Amino acid sequence: MTGKLISIEGIEGAGKSTVAARLTDRLRQSGHSVLELREPGSTPVGETLRTLLKDGTIRLAPLTEAFLFEAARHELVVRRIRPALTEGQWVVVDRFYDSTTAYQGWGRGLDVEMLCRMHRDACGETVPDLTLLLDIDTAVGLSRARSVTRGQGETARDRFEQEGIAFLERVREGFLSIARAEPNRIVVIPVTGDAEMVVECCLRAVEEKFSS
Ligand code: Z5A
């Protein structure tokens, strides 16, 4: 595999989608061939599971939720990520398996070791070369995410937006804990400035990681 896999993580409203799009543009301008993907999604099965997973009216047990995210991830890895990396493309993915560890592990209380085994089954040796963790104050992230949802005219809040601030605090702490455990892979980007400043920080992290 000659391409690079970059995942972007963080709680909702951290600016992941914004960063993923702008980072992809900037990497393309530097001459890289870049595939931008999102999780769950970016395959027919993944997009179908995304609709189900975000539907706040359908009850799911935590383990069911974890299996569905892993199923969507396996499809993404097999159908999109591995072929792209094999062709030498760079892949920017909006969320990857750290989200399951943080949300279903730290948030829902599932066993983190079990989840890590599930990641290995779903992804095999396809692991991110670099993970950018956008770390934002929980209340700020939640309010940004909710303003987007309201802007889209949705009436029912989705499964995760129904969760309270305490859930999201656990998820945020989960992400930071994963970052502390894997400092070579994960760079924490504090979200304090505007989107352009955050993108610049991310670009610096990419350059530092891959320039040597
Ligand atoms: N989930 C899970 O539980 N387990 C898993 O394994 C996976 C996911 C993979 C996916 O929904 C849900 O599934 C997610 C976790 C769970 N839970 N939720 N909610 P999603 O993909 O639709 O949700 P999201 O990833 O959280 O997307 P989001 O809410 O859109 O957040 P974002 O992508 O991080 O933010 P954004 O859309 O780029 O920006 C939000 C707003 O802030 C927007 O108006 C921007 O213009 C603005 N923004 C962005 N950056 C800035 C800065 N720096 N300053 C000011 N304003 C900014």
Side-chain angles (χ1 to χ4, degrees):
M1 284 187 182
T2 52
K4 303 288 181 206
L5 175 58
I6 301 172
S7 60
I8 302 176
E9 297 279 10
I11 62 168
E12 43 260 52
K16 297 175 302 300
S17 314
T18 307
V19 165
R22 295 193 196 184
L23 186 63
T24 298
D25 282 349
R26 297 284 291 271
L27 291 172
R28 283 180 183 150
Q29 283 163 20
S30 321
H32 296 290
S33 171
V34 187
L35 183 64
E36 185 191 348
L37 303 170
R38 70 173 178 177
E39 264 222 358
S42 299
T43 67
V45 169
E47 290 296 333
T48 304
L49 289 177
R50 181 184 181 85
T51 304
L52 189 148
L53 279 161
K54 293 199 71 170
D55 186 338
T57 66
I58 300 173
R59 289 188 66 197
L60 292 174
L63 187 57
T64 309
E65 205 178 78
F67 275 123
L68 293 176
F69 279 117
E70 298 288 1
R73 181 164 306 127
H74 182 68
E75 281 293 303
L76 189 66
V77 165
V78 169
R79 303 203 182 281
R80 307 290 310 271
I81 296 179
R82 273 190 205 147
L85 293 176
T86 303
E87 284 177 6
Q89 278 191 292
W90 286 39
V91 177
V92 172
V93 61
D94 183 346
R95 294 192 182 280
F96 203 50
Y97 56 67
D98 296 318
S99 281
T100 309
T101 309
Y103 279 82
Q104 281 64 52
W106 286 72
R108 300 275 195 234
L110 290 181
D111 181 71
V112 166
E113 287 303 315
M114 176 199 69
L115 292 172
C116 290
R117 287 196 297 276
M118 289 169 75
H119 304 337
R120 284 195 289 277
D121 287 342
C123 303
E125 292 178 2
T126 305
V127 298
D129 297 286
L130 172 66
T131 296
L132 301 167
L133 171 56
L134 307 188
D135 182 51
I136 192 168
D137 175 82
T138 309
V140 176
L142 197 56
S143 101
R144 281 186 193 165
R146 285 185 177 164
S147 70
V148 171
T149 309
R150 278 196 298 274
Q152 290 166 345
E154 292 177 23
T155 48
R157 280 199 264 148
D158 80 20
R159 177 183 315 283
F160 296 95
E161 287 172 3
Q162 289 171 5
E163 296 293 340
I165 197 119
F167 173 84
L168 265 195
E169 293 282 8
R170 290 198 299 280
V171 173
R172 181 186 182 196
E173 187 45 43
F175 276 125
L176 290 171
S177 165
I178 301 165
R180 283 192 292 274
E182 293 191 63
N184 290 336
R185 172 172 71 87
I186 304 178
V187 177
V188 180
I189 310 280
V191 179
T192 47
D194 63 18
E196 210 40 55
M197 280 178 63
V198 176
V199 172
E200 289 303 327
C201 290
C202 291
L203 272 169
R204 267 201 301 281
V206 171
E207 278 162 17
E208 277 171 25
K209 179 77 184 184
F210 300 121
S211 60
S212 54

